[in-house]
């Protein structure tokens, strides 16, 4: 039986509205969820719980993340176990949450921890396509400007923008990125060159053509993936 809670609507910027989404167990994929904050995003992945060690294989990055036992975790565990999974079974899940951590220097263990802030639901009939991942290097050209955008699996990015046929260093932007729906991401800019900088940009991930699409001053901007 589905259970739905309506999330309170929030407005963070004029770029996009923060809308509520249905929460609870579901056998359907969630509708588009325009929900985002500086550290809270949409997640989907393959969830598995075994021997008090919940993990998520993230659909967007392919990384395996440990799952924090806080927030809305208990409801996720309860809904997962109610589906009578076989030992070690991964089941597709969607939720609103946040990720923290960094790659371990020794390369051992799980590098990141994800927190489930609000469960959307499980869907045993769905699964991730790990052949198509969002992280990578994307190039774009608009008028005389070229842009090189590098999205990492740790949900960070660096962007180089420079003028064609001009000498000099590129402008460098850094920040974090995350999904606000299954195929939409937001870039949260934090620094410009060496100075603090605050801005957001929303892009759509075109899985068929492996590129990011957005707008800049009313004009379409296309970032084509050039490296994984």
């Amino acid at each position: 039986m589905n259970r739905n809670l309506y999330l309170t609507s929030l407005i963070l910027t004029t770029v996009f509205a923060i809308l509520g989404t249905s929460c609870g167990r579901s056998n359907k994929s969630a509708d588009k969820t325009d929900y985002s904050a500086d550290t809270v995003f949409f997640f989907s992945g393959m969830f598995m719980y075994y021997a008090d060690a919940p993990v998520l294989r993230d659909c967007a990055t392919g990384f395996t993340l440990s799952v924090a036992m806080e927030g809305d975790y208990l409801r996720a565990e309860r809904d997962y176990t109610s589906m009578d999974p076989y030992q070690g079974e991964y089941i597709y899940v969607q939720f609103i949450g946040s990720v923290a951590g960094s790659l371990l220097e020794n390369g051992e263990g799980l590098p990141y921890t994800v927190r489930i802030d609000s469960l959307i639901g499980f869907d045993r009939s769905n699964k991730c396509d790990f052949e198509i991942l969002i992280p990578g290097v994307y190039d774009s050209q608009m008028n005389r400007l070229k842009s090189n955008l590098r999205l990492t699996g740790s949900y960070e990015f660096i962007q180089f923008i420079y003028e064609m046929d001009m000498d000099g260093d590129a402008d460098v932007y850094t920040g974090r990125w995350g999904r606000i729906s299954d195929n939409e991401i937001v870039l949260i800019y934090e620094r410009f060159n060496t100075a603090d900088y605050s801005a957001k940009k929303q892009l759509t991930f075109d899985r068929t053509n492996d590129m990011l699409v957005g707008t800049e001053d009313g004009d379409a901007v296309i970032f084509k993936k050039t490296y994984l």
Side-chain angles (χ1 to χ4, degrees):
M1 181 176 183
N2 289 337
R3 295 169 299 169
N4 294 293
L5 295 176
Y6 189 77
L7 297 177
T8 303
S9 294
L10 303 174
I11 298 178
L12 295 180
T13 69
T14 57
V15 178
F16 55 88
I18 308 308
L19 301 177
T21 183
S22 299
C23 299
R25 182 179 169 196
S26 174
N27 290 323
K28 298 180 179 179
S29 296
D31 293 333
K32 172 184 170 182
T33 305
D34 286 331
Y35 184 100
S36 177
D38 283 354
T39 58
V40 180
F41 299 105
F42 169 88
F43 286 87
S44 62
M46 305 305 293
F47 178 93
M48 188 270 287
Y49 171 81
Y50 178 69
D52 293 328
V55 296
L56 178 85
R57 191 174 181 196
D58 184 17
C59 285
T61 66
F63 280 23
T64 298
L65 317 175
S66 61
V67 180
M69 293 184 177
E70 55 186 50
D72 209 15
Y73 168 76
L74 289 180
R75 188 154 67 96
E77 180 186 320
R78 183 174 65 247
D79 285 6
Y80 173 82
T81 55
S82 72
M83 300 177 74
D84 194 25
Y86 61 79
Q87 182 174 311
E89 180 181 4
Y90 283 85
I91 300 178
Y92 180 85
V93 68
Q94 294 179 329
F95 60 88
I96 303 301
S98 55
V99 66
S102 59
L103 286 170
L104 302 180
E105 291 182 1
N106 58 12
E108 298 178 356
L110 302 180
Y112 307 104
T113 297
V114 65
R115 169 191 165 98
I116 301 174
D117 291 305
S118 181
L119 178 68
I120 295 173
F122 286 90
D123 183 358
R124 202 179 221 141
S125 67
N126 206 347
K127 62 181 180 179
C128 300
D129 183 356
F130 292 116
E131 295 298 317
I132 303 176
L133 303 174
I134 296 178
V137 179
Y138 297 81
D139 288 330
S140 176
Q141 181 176 328
M142 184 176 179
N143 299 325
R144 295 181 56 82
L145 294 179
K146 294 192 70 173
S147 175
N148 177 268
L149 175 64
R150 305 176 186 183
L151 303 181
T152 73
S154 59
Y155 287 99
E156 298 170 317
F157 76 85
I158 183 168
Q159 183 177 13
F160 301 91
I161 299 178
Y162 56 94
E163 291 190 42
M164 298 174 59
D165 303 323
M166 294 287 290
D167 294 331
D169 296 331
D171 288 328
V172 182
Y173 298 83
T174 57
R176 291 168 292 119
W177 69 275
R179 288 192 293 165
I180 57 175
S181 71
D182 194 39
N183 292 317
E184 292 185 274
I185 73 168
V186 61
L187 306 180
I188 300 178
Y189 291 83
E190 296 176 334
R191 294 190 68 81
F192 166 59
N193 292 335
T194 60
D196 291 339
Y197 178 78
S198 179
K200 295 181 182 181
K201 182 191 297 290
Q202 186 172 329
L203 299 168
T204 298
F205 181 53
D206 182 339
R207 295 177 178 274
T208 302
N209 298 298
D210 216 11
M211 63 186 187
L212 297 168
V213 181
T215 59
E216 188 75 38
D217 297 327
D219 295 324
V221 179
I222 297 176
F223 291 86
K224 294 183 178 180
K225 184 180 283 188
T226 53
Y227 299 99
L228 298 178

